[in-house]
Each structure stands twice: as structure tokens, then as C-alpha cells.
Amino acid sequence: MTLYQPFLDYAIATLRDRLDLQPYPIPEGFERKSAIVGKGKNQEEVVTTSYAFSATKLRQIRAAHVQGGKSLQVLNFVIFPHLNYDLPFFGADLVTLPGGHLIALDMQPLFRDDRTYQAKYTEPIFPIFHHYQQHLPWGGDFPEEARPFFSPVFLWTRPQATSVVETHVFEAFKDYLNAYLNFVAQAKPIDEIQGLTEIKQAQLRYLRYRSQKDPARGMFQRFYGSDWTEEYIHGFLFDLERKLSDNAFTSV
Ligand code: DBV
């Protein structure tokens, strides 16, 4: 059992339990990808598996799980709501590299500086955030340009010990996911044009940032080549623009 498998199993079981989960298409050739990397006795098989679902209020729920031995494990898990809900994105980036663990967990806001939005989607999370922050201290510098996309309850930490990932990080992941699903349960569709336009712009802003700056791009290029990587990023991981142009005359 690899480090993030229990996170993925928990997430899928919880989503099945709490939502009307439907399959979401994964482009052919992207469900599973493998490559042999390294030389001699350092050779490792690196396998990337993808998972995707949708639900009534959620356009795409997707996970990418990279397994390449003890010092290369990644679970990137994001929930993209439908464009007629003001819900934040659920974003988890759980990364283990030879240098250590890097954990990002957040309810990423559509409108970071809007006080009403914060009261609705950030303040309820403060108790959970403060509870875990004592065990998961701030991870230090991260790209300034990423700031607009993070909430004040962004858990960002670089634990030394794997046991911290297995315990505190796993518990935080569960609590954030369940709190997110509480928001989903309460969310009401937006139907006025102004609100819908703002949501679409905010979703596209987030999506363009994440796809342009994907910190995994270099890693995927090394393992699987640059054509596969670009298609994986734009055709699966961050696919909203493609879906909008595929469905120019229908709703997404
Ligand atoms: N990051 C992704 C996707 C990944 C992924 C789709 C499928 O957005 C993995 C894989 N993240 C990944 C890897 C690294 C990081 C780093 C492999 C290490 C890159 C390296 O050191 O070579 C949060 N992730 C990072 C970093 C940040 C984030 C701030 C540090 C790198 C940097 O300084 O740019 N990713 C970023 C973020 C979210 C997220 C804000 C939201 C929770 O998913």
C-alpha cells in the first residue's frame, strides 16, 4: 500500500456515500500510464493512474495518483463545481519527493477578497484549520502569483516525517473533504446573469493559472514526454476550456 492510496480510497468511498456519483470520461490512454525511469539498480516503474467522476452540482471530480517508489508519490485531487454554483474548488496536492513531503490542502475561493464569500466559505473552516495548524506548520514560501487562488484556511506544510502524513495530514484531508461536502449539500444554484458571468470568469482564471503553472509539468515531461503531458494537462487535469469549446452551444 503506497502512502496516498488510503487518501484516495477514503475520498472515493466518501464521495460515493455522500453524492450521486456518476462516471466522468477519462480520455483514452490517460487512465493509466507507466514508464521506467532511472538507471541500474535505481530503476523504478512510475505509474500514473487517473480517476474521474461528476455529481449533480460538481462538474468534475478528478484525481491523479503517481506511484514511483518510496521517494516519489503524488496524489493531486481537485473538485471543480458546475458553473452555476458559487462553491469553491476543493484542492489537495499531496507530494512526496526525494527531498521530503509537500502538502497543500484548501477550499480554493472563486472570489478571495469578497467578505460575504469569505463568511460563507472560509470562516466555517477556521476551527478545522486552527486545529491542524499546530501539527502542520506553515510550509514557507510559495509563488506570490498563486495567492489570489488560496483561501485564508490554506493548509500548506512540509512535514519531515512520513508518520505525520499518515496521521495529521490524513485526518486534515478527511475533515476538509467532509466540510467541503457540507458546502456542496447546502449550495443553491445561481440563476442571475451577473453572478453566472462572474463565476465563469473566476473558474477560467483559476483554470488557466493551474494549467499554465502546473508544478508537475516538468516531472510528467521527464517520465512520459511532452505531447502526453500537454494532453494530460489540458485534456484531463484542467479541461474546462476544452469542454466549453466542445459544448459552445450547450451547457457544461
Ligand atoms: N500539482 C498539480 C498537479 C500535480 C501536482 C496536477 C498531478 O497541480 C504535483 C500532479 N505539485 C506537484 C509536484 C510538485 C508540486 C509542488 C510534483 C513538486 C514540484 C517540484 O518541486 O518539482 C500547490 N504544489 C507544489 C508547490 C505548490 C503546490 C505551491 C510548490 C512548487 C512551486 O513553488 O510552484 N498545487 C499547488 C496548489 C494546489 C495544487 C496551490 C492547490 C491545492 O494542487
Side-chain angles (χ1 to χ4, degrees), residues 62 64 66 74 76 78 91-93 95 97 102 104-106 108 142-143 146 150 154 156 158 206 210 214-216 219-220 237-238:
R62 60 92 183 134
V66 182
V74 178
N76 183 268
V78 182
D93 202 18
V95 180
L97 297 174
L102 177 162
L105 192 55
D106 199 11
Q108 301 190 295
F142 75 98
F150 289 103
F154 179 35
W156 164 241
R158 297 170 180 269
Y206 176 83
R210 293 289 309 265
D214 189 340
M219 174 186 86
F220 282 136
L237 292 175
F238 303 104

PDB file of all heavy atoms in Angstrom, residues 62 64 66 74 76 78 91-93 95 97 102 104-106 108 142-143 146 150 154 156 158 206 210 214-216 219-220 237-238, ligand 1:
ATOM      1  N   ARG A  62     -11.715  14.923  -9.869  1.00  0.00           N
ATOM      2  CA  ARG A  62     -10.707  14.068 -10.511  1.00  0.00           C
ATOM      3  C   ARG A  62      -9.456  13.937  -9.662  1.00  0.00           C
ATOM      4  O   ARG A  62      -9.119  14.803  -8.843  1.00  0.00           O
ATOM      5  CB  ARG A  62     -10.422  14.563 -11.926  1.00  0.00           C
ATOM      6  CG  ARG A  62      -9.902  15.994 -12.017  1.00  0.00           C
ATOM      7  CD  ARG A  62      -8.411  15.965 -11.998  1.00  0.00           C
ATOM      8  NE  ARG A  62      -7.749  17.246 -12.014  1.00  0.00           N
ATOM      9  CZ  ARG A  62      -6.730  17.519 -11.194  1.00  0.00           C
ATOM     10  NH1 ARG A  62      -6.348  16.671 -10.268  1.00  0.00           N
ATOM     11  NH2 ARG A  62      -6.108  18.665 -11.282  1.00  0.00           N
ATOM     12  N   ALA A  64      -5.279  12.443  -9.799  1.00  0.00           N
ATOM     13  CA  ALA A  64      -4.122  11.852 -10.478  1.00  0.00           C
ATOM     14  C   ALA A  64      -3.230  11.281  -9.387  1.00  0.00           C
ATOM     15  O   ALA A  64      -2.871  11.988  -8.436  1.00  0.00           O
ATOM     16  CB  ALA A  64      -3.377  12.928 -11.273  1.00  0.00           C
ATOM     17  N   VAL A  66       0.281   9.348  -8.692  1.00  0.00           N
ATOM     18  CA  VAL A  66       1.583   8.971  -9.251  1.00  0.00           C
ATOM     19  C   VAL A  66       2.300   8.089  -8.233  1.00  0.00           C
ATOM     20  O   VAL A  66       2.484   8.497  -7.072  1.00  0.00           O
ATOM     21  CB  VAL A  66       2.445  10.225  -9.538  1.00  0.00           C
ATOM     22  CG1 VAL A  66       3.783   9.822 -10.163  1.00  0.00           C
ATOM     23  CG2 VAL A  66       1.702  11.207 -10.438  1.00  0.00           C
ATOM     24  N   VAL A  74       2.610  10.943  -5.432  1.00  0.00           N
ATOM     25  CA  VAL A  74       1.822  12.174  -5.548  1.00  0.00           C
ATOM     26  C   VAL A  74       0.345  11.815  -5.646  1.00  0.00           C
ATOM     27  O   VAL A  74      -0.028  10.897  -6.388  1.00  0.00           O
ATOM     28  CB  VAL A  74       2.193  12.980  -6.835  1.00  0.00           C
ATOM     29  CG1 VAL A  74       1.325  14.236  -6.959  1.00  0.00           C
ATOM     30  CG2 VAL A  74       3.669  13.346  -6.855  1.00  0.00           C
ATOM     31  N   ASN A  76      -2.832  14.236  -6.546  1.00  0.00           N
ATOM     32  CA  ASN A  76      -3.415  15.553  -6.805  1.00  0.00           C
ATOM     33  C   ASN A  76      -4.902  15.341  -7.042  1.00  0.00           C
ATOM     34  O   ASN A  76      -5.299  14.606  -7.948  1.00  0.00           O
ATOM     35  CB  ASN A  76      -2.742  16.195  -8.022  1.00  0.00           C
ATOM     36  CG  ASN A  76      -3.286  17.594  -8.261  1.00  0.00           C
ATOM     37  OD1 ASN A  76      -4.242  17.769  -9.011  1.00  0.00           O
ATOM     38  ND2 ASN A  76      -2.692  18.575  -7.611  1.00  0.00           N
ATOM     39  N   VAL A  78      -8.703  17.266  -7.191  1.00  0.00           N
ATOM     40  CA  VAL A  78      -9.383  18.558  -7.302  1.00  0.00           C
ATOM     41  C   VAL A  78     -10.858  18.334  -7.637  1.00  0.00           C
ATOM     42  O   VAL A  78     -11.199  17.422  -8.403  1.00  0.00           O
ATOM     43  CB  VAL A  78      -8.740  19.461  -8.396  1.00  0.00           C
ATOM     44  CG1 VAL A  78      -9.445  20.821  -8.463  1.00  0.00           C
ATOM     45  CG2 VAL A  78      -7.247  19.674  -8.137  1.00  0.00           C
ATOM     46  N   GLY A  91      -9.117  21.506  -3.321  1.00  0.00           N
ATOM     47  CA  GLY A  91      -7.817  21.220  -3.927  1.00  0.00           C
ATOM     48  C   GLY A  91      -6.879  20.561  -2.937  1.00  0.00           C
ATOM     49  O   GLY A  91      -6.632  21.094  -1.853  1.00  0.00           O
ATOM     50  N   ALA A  92      -6.376  19.397  -3.308  1.00  0.00           N
ATOM     51  CA  ALA A  92      -5.379  18.723  -2.480  1.00  0.00           C
ATOM     52  C   ALA A  92      -4.185  18.369  -3.358  1.00  0.00           C
ATOM     53  O   ALA A  92      -4.364  17.764  -4.419  1.00  0.00           O
ATOM     54  CB  ALA A  92      -5.966  17.465  -1.851  1.00  0.00           C
ATOM     55  N   ASP A  93      -3.014  18.803  -2.939  1.00  0.00           N
ATOM     56  CA  ASP A  93      -1.785  18.443  -3.649  1.00  0.00           C
ATOM     57  C   ASP A  93      -0.866  17.809  -2.611  1.00  0.00           C
ATOM     58  O   ASP A  93      -0.313  18.489  -1.756  1.00  0.00           O
ATOM     59  CB  ASP A  93      -1.158  19.704  -4.258  1.00  0.00           C
ATOM     60  CG  ASP A  93      -0.213  19.381  -5.424  1.00  0.00           C
ATOM     61  OD1 ASP A  93      -0.298  18.270  -5.976  1.00  0.00           O
ATOM     62  OD2 ASP A  93       0.603  20.253  -5.781  1.00  0.00           O
ATOM     63  N   VAL A  95       2.364  15.616  -2.062  1.00  0.00           N
ATOM     64  CA  VAL A  95       3.536  15.343  -2.887  1.00  0.00           C
ATOM     65  C   VAL A  95       4.684  14.824  -2.028  1.00  0.00           C
ATOM     66  O   VAL A  95       5.057  15.458  -1.034  1.00  0.00           O
ATOM     67  CB  VAL A  95       3.989  16.634  -3.606  1.00  0.00           C
ATOM     68  CG1 VAL A  95       5.218  16.365  -4.469  1.00  0.00           C
ATOM     69  CG2 VAL A  95       2.867  17.217  -4.455  1.00  0.00           C
ATOM     70  N   LEU A  97       8.621  13.689  -2.561  1.00  0.00           N
ATOM     71  CA  LEU A  97       9.761  13.643  -3.476  1.00  0.00           C
ATOM     72  C   LEU A  97      10.975  13.236  -2.657  1.00  0.00           C
ATOM     73  O   LEU A  97      10.907  13.175  -1.423  1.00  0.00           O
ATOM     74  CB  LEU A  97       9.959  15.035  -4.107  1.00  0.00           C
ATOM     75  CG  LEU A  97       8.806  15.568  -4.975  1.00  0.00           C
ATOM     76  CD1 LEU A  97       9.064  17.004  -5.402  1.00  0.00           C
ATOM     77  CD2 LEU A  97       8.578  14.689  -6.185  1.00  0.00           C
ATOM     78  N   LEU A 102       5.409  17.511   0.703  1.00  0.00           N
ATOM     79  CA  LEU A 102       4.886  18.857   0.464  1.00  0.00           C
ATOM     80  C   LEU A 102       3.370  18.713   0.368  1.00  0.00           C
ATOM     81  O   LEU A 102       2.880  17.956  -0.468  1.00  0.00           O
ATOM     82  CB  LEU A 102       5.508  19.302  -0.845  1.00  0.00           C
ATOM     83  CG  LEU A 102       5.217  20.599  -1.534  1.00  0.00           C
ATOM     84  CD1 LEU A 102       6.345  20.835  -2.529  1.00  0.00           C
ATOM     85  CD2 LEU A 102       3.906  20.535  -2.265  1.00  0.00           C
ATOM     86  N   ALA A 104      -0.442  20.521   0.250  1.00  0.00           N
ATOM     87  CA  ALA A 104      -1.310  21.689   0.044  1.00  0.00           C
ATOM     88  C   ALA A 104      -2.752  21.207   0.082  1.00  0.00           C
ATOM     89  O   ALA A 104      -3.126  20.283  -0.646  1.00  0.00           O
ATOM     90  CB  ALA A 104      -1.011  22.355  -1.294  1.00  0.00           C
ATOM     91  N   LEU A 105      -3.541  21.856   0.945  1.00  0.00           N
ATOM     92  CA  LEU A 105      -4.936  21.438   1.125  1.00  0.00           C
ATOM     93  C   LEU A 105      -5.759  22.699   1.299  1.00  0.00           C
ATOM     94  O   LEU A 105      -5.454  23.534   2.150  1.00  0.00           O
ATOM     95  CB  LEU A 105      -4.990  20.565   2.383  1.00  0.00           C
ATOM     96  CG  LEU A 105      -6.233  19.762   2.701  1.00  0.00           C
ATOM     97  CD1 LEU A 105      -6.634  18.852   1.544  1.00  0.00           C
ATOM     98  CD2 LEU A 105      -5.959  18.914   3.942  1.00  0.00           C
ATOM     99  N   ASP A 106      -6.814  22.841   0.482  1.00  0.00           N
ATOM    100  CA  ASP A 106      -7.545  24.117   0.552  1.00  0.00           C
ATOM    101  C   ASP A 106      -8.934  23.994  -0.055  1.00  0.00           C
ATOM    102  O   ASP A 106      -9.217  23.076  -0.824  1.00  0.00           O
ATOM    103  CB  ASP A 106      -6.759  25.202  -0.212  1.00  0.00           C
ATOM    104  CG  ASP A 106      -7.171  26.625   0.176  1.00  0.00           C
ATOM    105  OD1 ASP A 106      -7.908  26.800   1.167  1.00  0.00           O
ATOM    106  OD2 ASP A 106      -6.746  27.559  -0.528  1.00  0.00           O
ATOM    107  N   GLN A 108     -10.391  26.331  -2.426  1.00  0.00           N
ATOM    108  CA  GLN A 108      -9.869  27.471  -3.176  1.00  0.00           C
ATOM    109  C   GLN A 108     -10.995  28.359  -3.675  1.00  0.00           C
ATOM    110  O   GLN A 108     -11.890  27.909  -4.397  1.00  0.00           O
ATOM    111  CB  GLN A 108      -8.973  26.949  -4.280  1.00  0.00           C
ATOM    112  CG  GLN A 108      -7.858  26.131  -3.613  1.00  0.00           C
ATOM    113  CD  GLN A 108      -6.752  25.733  -4.542  1.00  0.00           C
ATOM    114  OE1 GLN A 108      -6.971  24.974  -5.468  1.00  0.00           O
ATOM    115  NE2 GLN A 108      -5.574  26.249  -4.289  1.00  0.00           N
ATOM    116  N   PHE A 142       5.726  30.302  -1.042  1.00  0.00           N
ATOM    117  CA  PHE A 142       5.130  29.717  -2.233  1.00  0.00           C
ATOM    118  C   PHE A 142       4.888  30.862  -3.216  1.00  0.00           C
ATOM    119  O   PHE A 142       4.923  32.016  -2.835  1.00  0.00           O
ATOM    120  CB  PHE A 142       3.897  28.868  -1.906  1.00  0.00           C
ATOM    121  CG  PHE A 142       2.661  29.644  -1.575  1.00  0.00           C
ATOM    122  CD1 PHE A 142       1.692  29.868  -2.545  1.00  0.00           C
ATOM    123  CD2 PHE A 142       2.472  30.145  -0.310  1.00  0.00           C
ATOM    124  CE1 PHE A 142       0.532  30.582  -2.250  1.00  0.00           C
ATOM    125  CE2 PHE A 142       1.316  30.859   0.001  1.00  0.00           C
ATOM    126  CZ  PHE A 142       0.360  31.079  -0.966  1.00  0.00           C
ATOM    127  N   PRO A 143       4.666  30.537  -4.491  1.00  0.00           N
ATOM    128  CA  PRO A 143       4.656  31.590  -5.510  1.00  0.00           C
ATOM    129  C   PRO A 143       3.635  32.697  -5.210  1.00  0.00           C
ATOM    130  O   PRO A 143       2.457  32.402  -4.984  1.00  0.00           O
ATOM    131  CB  PRO A 143       4.284  30.832  -6.792  1.00  0.00           C
ATOM    132  CG  PRO A 143       4.563  29.390  -6.507  1.00  0.00           C
ATOM    133  CD  PRO A 143       4.425  29.208  -5.038  1.00  0.00           C
ATOM    134  N   ALA A 146       0.373  32.929  -6.916  1.00  0.00           N
ATOM    135  CA  ALA A 146      -0.644  31.930  -6.596  1.00  0.00           C
ATOM    136  C   ALA A 146      -1.618  32.422  -5.520  1.00  0.00           C
ATOM    137  O   ALA A 146      -2.689  31.852  -5.330  1.00  0.00           O
ATOM    138  CB  ALA A 146       0.019  30.632  -6.135  1.00  0.00           C
ATOM    139  N   PHE A 150      -5.674  31.067  -3.255  1.00  0.00           N
ATOM    140  CA  PHE A 150      -5.730  30.368  -1.971  1.00  0.00           C
ATOM    141  C   PHE A 150      -6.588  31.091  -0.968  1.00  0.00           C
ATOM    142  O   PHE A 150      -6.649  32.305  -0.959  1.00  0.00           O
ATOM    143  CB  PHE A 150      -4.334  30.215  -1.386  1.00  0.00           C
ATOM    144  CG  PHE A 150      -3.535  29.232  -2.144  1.00  0.00           C
ATOM    145  CD1 PHE A 150      -2.579  29.642  -3.033  1.00  0.00           C
ATOM    146  CD2 PHE A 150      -3.801  27.887  -2.016  1.00  0.00           C
ATOM    147  CE1 PHE A 150      -1.871  28.726  -3.782  1.00  0.00           C
ATOM    148  CE2 PHE A 150      -3.103  26.965  -2.757  1.00  0.00           C
ATOM    149  CZ  PHE A 150      -2.139  27.384  -3.633  1.00  0.00           C
ATOM    150  N   PHE A 154      -5.791  27.937   3.923  1.00  0.00           N
ATOM    151  CA  PHE A 154      -4.864  27.114   3.136  1.00  0.00           C
ATOM    152  C   PHE A 154      -3.908  26.384   4.092  1.00  0.00           C
ATOM    153  O   PHE A 154      -3.132  27.007   4.804  1.00  0.00           O
ATOM    154  CB  PHE A 154      -4.098  28.051   2.202  1.00  0.00           C
ATOM    155  CG  PHE A 154      -3.060  27.388   1.326  1.00  0.00           C
ATOM    156  CD1 PHE A 154      -3.244  26.107   0.805  1.00  0.00           C
ATOM    157  CD2 PHE A 154      -1.904  28.079   0.987  1.00  0.00           C
ATOM    158  CE1 PHE A 154      -2.285  25.533  -0.034  1.00  0.00           C
ATOM    159  CE2 PHE A 154      -0.944  27.518   0.153  1.00  0.00           C
ATOM    160  CZ  PHE A 154      -1.137  26.242  -0.359  1.00  0.00           C
ATOM    161  N   TRP A 156      -0.708  24.476   4.274  1.00  0.00           N
ATOM    162  CA  TRP A 156       0.468  24.369   3.398  1.00  0.00           C
ATOM    163  C   TRP A 156       1.634  24.013   4.298  1.00  0.00           C
ATOM    164  O   TRP A 156       2.025  24.803   5.177  1.00  0.00           O
ATOM    165  CB  TRP A 156       0.673  25.712   2.694  1.00  0.00           C
ATOM    166  CG  TRP A 156       1.994  25.949   2.050  1.00  0.00           C
ATOM    167  CD1 TRP A 156       2.880  26.947   2.378  1.00  0.00           C
ATOM    168  CD2 TRP A 156       2.577  25.240   0.954  1.00  0.00           C
ATOM    169  NE1 TRP A 156       3.970  26.891   1.550  1.00  0.00           N
ATOM    170  CE2 TRP A 156       3.823  25.841   0.671  1.00  0.00           C
ATOM    171  CE3 TRP A 156       2.172  24.135   0.189  1.00  0.00           C
ATOM    172  CZ2 TRP A 156       4.662  25.387  -0.338  1.00  0.00           C
ATOM    173  CZ3 TRP A 156       3.006  23.683  -0.817  1.00  0.00           C
ATOM    174  CH2 TRP A 156       4.230  24.312  -1.073  1.00  0.00           C
ATOM    175  N   ARG A 158       5.257  21.263   5.075  1.00  0.00           N
ATOM    176  CA  ARG A 158       6.271  20.341   4.544  1.00  0.00           C
ATOM    177  C   ARG A 158       6.764  19.438   5.667  1.00  0.00           C
ATOM    178  O   ARG A 158       7.848  19.641   6.208  1.00  0.00           O
ATOM    179  CB  ARG A 158       7.469  21.145   4.009  1.00  0.00           C
ATOM    180  CG  ARG A 158       7.149  22.072   2.847  1.00  0.00           C
ATOM    181  CD  ARG A 158       8.354  22.981   2.588  1.00  0.00           C
ATOM    182  NE  ARG A 158       8.153  23.913   1.493  1.00  0.00           N
ATOM    183  CZ  ARG A 158       8.483  23.647   0.223  1.00  0.00           C
ATOM    184  NH1 ARG A 158       9.018  22.489  -0.110  1.00  0.00           N
ATOM    185  NH2 ARG A 158       8.274  24.553  -0.708  1.00  0.00           N
ATOM    186  N   TYR A 206      -8.841  30.643 -12.580  1.00  0.00           N
ATOM    187  CA  TYR A 206      -8.218  29.588 -11.778  1.00  0.00           C
ATOM    188  C   TYR A 206      -7.641  28.496 -12.689  1.00  0.00           C
ATOM    189  O   TYR A 206      -6.496  28.062 -12.535  1.00  0.00           O
ATOM    190  CB  TYR A 206      -9.282  28.998 -10.847  1.00  0.00           C
ATOM    191  CG  TYR A 206      -8.826  27.821 -10.017  1.00  0.00           C
ATOM    192  CD1 TYR A 206      -8.126  28.011  -8.827  1.00  0.00           C
ATOM    193  CD2 TYR A 206      -9.117  26.512 -10.404  1.00  0.00           C
ATOM    194  CE1 TYR A 206      -7.715  26.927  -8.062  1.00  0.00           C
ATOM    195  CE2 TYR A 206      -8.719  25.430  -9.639  1.00  0.00           C
ATOM    196  CZ  TYR A 206      -8.024  25.638  -8.469  1.00  0.00           C
ATOM    197  OH  TYR A 206      -7.623  24.566  -7.713  1.00  0.00           O
ATOM    198  N   ARG A 210      -3.762  27.295 -13.065  1.00  0.00           N
ATOM    199  CA  ARG A 210      -3.332  25.940 -12.715  1.00  0.00           C
ATOM    200  C   ARG A 210      -2.737  25.201 -13.920  1.00  0.00           C
ATOM    201  O   ARG A 210      -1.756  24.481 -13.764  1.00  0.00           O
ATOM    202  CB  ARG A 210      -4.509  25.136 -12.131  1.00  0.00           C
ATOM    203  CG  ARG A 210      -5.041  25.619 -10.777  1.00  0.00           C
ATOM    204  CD  ARG A 210      -4.099  25.343  -9.621  1.00  0.00           C
ATOM    205  NE  ARG A 210      -3.628  23.981  -9.534  1.00  0.00           N
ATOM    206  CZ  ARG A 210      -4.169  23.031  -8.780  1.00  0.00           C
ATOM    207  NH1 ARG A 210      -5.205  23.288  -8.027  1.00  0.00           N
ATOM    208  NH2 ARG A 210      -3.647  21.814  -8.753  1.00  0.00           N
ATOM    209  N   ASP A 214       1.277  24.458 -13.825  1.00  0.00           N
ATOM    210  CA  ASP A 214       1.242  23.151 -13.173  1.00  0.00           C
ATOM    211  C   ASP A 214       2.649  22.725 -12.725  1.00  0.00           C
ATOM    212  O   ASP A 214       3.532  22.496 -13.556  1.00  0.00           O
ATOM    213  CB  ASP A 214       0.679  22.119 -14.146  1.00  0.00           C
ATOM    214  CG  ASP A 214       0.409  20.790 -13.455  1.00  0.00           C
ATOM    215  OD1 ASP A 214       0.986  20.548 -12.366  1.00  0.00           O
ATOM    216  OD2 ASP A 214      -0.370  20.003 -13.987  1.00  0.00           O
ATOM    217  N   PRO A 215       2.876  22.636 -11.418  1.00  0.00           N
ATOM    218  CA  PRO A 215       4.222  22.294 -10.951  1.00  0.00           C
ATOM    219  C   PRO A 215       4.641  20.859 -11.294  1.00  0.00           C
ATOM    220  O   PRO A 215       5.805  20.501 -11.140  1.00  0.00           O
ATOM    221  CB  PRO A 215       4.151  22.495  -9.428  1.00  0.00           C
ATOM    222  CG  PRO A 215       2.712  22.521  -9.080  1.00  0.00           C
ATOM    223  CD  PRO A 215       1.944  22.889 -10.320  1.00  0.00           C
ATOM    224  N   ALA A 216       3.703  20.062 -11.788  1.00  0.00           N
ATOM    225  CA  ALA A 216       4.045  18.676 -12.145  1.00  0.00           C
ATOM    226  C   ALA A 216       4.460  18.550 -13.607  1.00  0.00           C
ATOM    227  O   ALA A 216       4.878  17.467 -14.039  1.00  0.00           O
ATOM    228  CB  ALA A 216       2.858  17.767 -11.878  1.00  0.00           C
ATOM    229  N   MET A 219       7.966  17.104 -14.221  1.00  0.00           N
ATOM    230  CA  MET A 219       8.027  15.694 -13.835  1.00  0.00           C
ATOM    231  C   MET A 219       7.355  14.810 -14.890  1.00  0.00           C
ATOM    232  O   MET A 219       7.931  13.826 -15.346  1.00  0.00           O
ATOM    233  CB  MET A 219       7.318  15.555 -12.478  1.00  0.00           C
ATOM    234  CG  MET A 219       7.152  14.159 -11.976  1.00  0.00           C
ATOM    235  SD  MET A 219       6.156  14.112 -10.449  1.00  0.00           S
ATOM    236  CE  MET A 219       4.491  14.046 -11.126  1.00  0.00           C
ATOM    237  N   PHE A 220       6.159  15.193 -15.310  1.00  0.00           N
ATOM    238  CA  PHE A 220       5.442  14.389 -16.319  1.00  0.00           C
ATOM    239  C   PHE A 220       6.199  14.373 -17.647  1.00  0.00           C
ATOM    240  O   PHE A 220       6.258  13.348 -18.324  1.00  0.00           O
ATOM    241  CB  PHE A 220       4.025  14.926 -16.522  1.00  0.00           C
ATOM    242  CG  PHE A 220       3.058  14.530 -15.434  1.00  0.00           C
ATOM    243  CD1 PHE A 220       2.173  15.459 -14.885  1.00  0.00           C
ATOM    244  CD2 PHE A 220       3.001  13.215 -14.964  1.00  0.00           C
ATOM    245  CE1 PHE A 220       1.275  15.087 -13.889  1.00  0.00           C
ATOM    246  CE2 PHE A 220       2.096  12.841 -13.969  1.00  0.00           C
ATOM    247  CZ  PHE A 220       1.231  13.788 -13.432  1.00  0.00           C
ATOM    248  N   LEU A 237      -6.605  17.029 -16.688  1.00  0.00           N
ATOM    249  CA  LEU A 237      -6.430  17.626 -15.355  1.00  0.00           C
ATOM    250  C   LEU A 237      -7.159  18.964 -15.234  1.00  0.00           C
ATOM    251  O   LEU A 237      -7.771  19.248 -14.199  1.00  0.00           O
ATOM    252  CB  LEU A 237      -4.939  17.837 -15.052  1.00  0.00           C
ATOM    253  CG  LEU A 237      -4.090  16.585 -14.860  1.00  0.00           C
ATOM    254  CD1 LEU A 237      -2.624  16.981 -14.684  1.00  0.00           C
ATOM    255  CD2 LEU A 237      -4.564  15.772 -13.648  1.00  0.00           C
ATOM    256  N   PHE A 238      -7.044  19.775 -16.258  1.00  0.00           N
ATOM    257  CA  PHE A 238      -7.653  21.117 -16.248  1.00  0.00           C
ATOM    258  C   PHE A 238      -8.362  21.310 -17.584  1.00  0.00           C
ATOM    259  O   PHE A 238      -7.862  21.972 -18.477  1.00  0.00           O
ATOM    260  CB  PHE A 238      -6.565  22.177 -16.012  1.00  0.00           C
ATOM    261  CG  PHE A 238      -5.786  21.945 -14.735  1.00  0.00           C
ATOM    262  CD1 PHE A 238      -4.510  21.425 -14.747  1.00  0.00           C
ATOM    263  CD2 PHE A 238      -6.371  22.222 -13.496  1.00  0.00           C
ATOM    264  CE1 PHE A 238      -3.804  21.183 -13.559  1.00  0.00           C
ATOM    265  CE2 PHE A 238      -5.685  21.980 -12.314  1.00  0.00           C
ATOM    266  CZ  PHE A 238      -4.397  21.466 -12.335  1.00  0.00           C
TER     267      PHE A 238
HETATM  268  N1  DBV B   1       0.487  19.653  -8.834  1.00  0.00           N
HETATM  269  C1  DBV B   1      -0.604  19.839  -9.627  1.00  0.00           C
HETATM  270  C2  DBV B   1      -0.852  18.607 -10.298  1.00  0.00           C
HETATM  271  C3  DBV B   1       0.099  17.686  -9.878  1.00  0.00           C
HETATM  272  C4  DBV B   1       0.949  18.371  -8.962  1.00  0.00           C
HETATM  273  C5  DBV B   1      -1.987  18.438 -11.262  1.00  0.00           C
HETATM  274  C6  DBV B   1      -0.643  15.570 -10.874  1.00  0.00           C
HETATM  275  O1  DBV B   1      -1.233  20.879  -9.720  1.00  0.00           O
HETATM  276  C7  DBV B   1       2.077  17.838  -8.304  1.00  0.00           C
HETATM  277  C8  DBV B   1       0.287  16.291 -10.259  1.00  0.00           C
HETATM  278  N2  DBV B   1       2.973  19.759  -7.012  1.00  0.00           N
HETATM  279  C9  DBV B   1       3.118  18.600  -7.721  1.00  0.00           C
HETATM  280  C10 DBV B   1       4.501  18.281  -7.766  1.00  0.00           C
HETATM  281  C11 DBV B   1       5.176  19.289  -7.100  1.00  0.00           C
HETATM  282  C12 DBV B   1       4.193  20.208  -6.639  1.00  0.00           C
HETATM  283  C13 DBV B   1       4.513  21.395  -5.921  1.00  0.00           C
HETATM  284  C14 DBV B   1       5.094  17.068  -8.431  1.00  0.00           C
HETATM  285  C15 DBV B   1       6.650  19.410  -6.856  1.00  0.00           C
HETATM  286  C16 DBV B   1       7.303  20.192  -7.945  1.00  0.00           C
HETATM  287  C17 DBV B   1       8.820  20.146  -7.767  1.00  0.00           C
HETATM  288  O2  DBV B   1       9.294  20.540  -6.685  1.00  0.00           O
HETATM  289  O3  DBV B   1       9.462  19.701  -8.700  1.00  0.00           O
HETATM  290  C18 DBV B   1       0.426  23.720  -4.629  1.00  0.00           C
HETATM  291  N3  DBV B   1       2.295  22.304  -5.374  1.00  0.00           N
HETATM  292  C19 DBV B   1       3.647  22.382  -5.471  1.00  0.00           C
HETATM  293  C20 DBV B   1       4.045  23.660  -4.976  1.00  0.00           C
HETATM  294  C21 DBV B   1       2.898  24.343  -4.650  1.00  0.00           C
HETATM  295  C22 DBV B   1       1.828  23.443  -4.921  1.00  0.00           C
HETATM  296  C23 DBV B   1       2.771  25.737  -4.081  1.00  0.00           C
HETATM  297  C24 DBV B   1       5.480  24.109  -4.811  1.00  0.00           C
HETATM  298  C25 DBV B   1       6.103  24.321  -6.156  1.00  0.00           C
HETATM  299  C26 DBV B   1       6.120  25.731  -6.535  1.00  0.00           C
HETATM  300  O4  DBV B   1       6.778  26.502  -5.830  1.00  0.00           O
HETATM  301  O5  DBV B   1       5.484  26.062  -7.591  1.00  0.00           O
HETATM  302  N4  DBV B   1      -0.821  22.653  -6.387  1.00  0.00           N
HETATM  303  C27 DBV B   1      -0.389  23.895  -5.872  1.00  0.00           C
HETATM  304  C28 DBV B   1      -1.653  24.403  -5.356  1.00  0.00           C
HETATM  305  C29 DBV B   1      -2.607  23.483  -5.313  1.00  0.00           C
HETATM  306  C30 DBV B   1      -2.111  22.411  -6.017  1.00  0.00           C
HETATM  307  C31 DBV B   1      -1.742  25.769  -4.966  1.00  0.00           C
HETATM  308  C32 DBV B   1      -3.892  23.533  -4.655  1.00  0.00           C
HETATM  309  C33 DBV B   1      -4.162  22.896  -3.533  1.00  0.00           C
HETATM  310  O6  DBV B   1      -2.765  21.420  -6.309  1.00  0.00           O
END
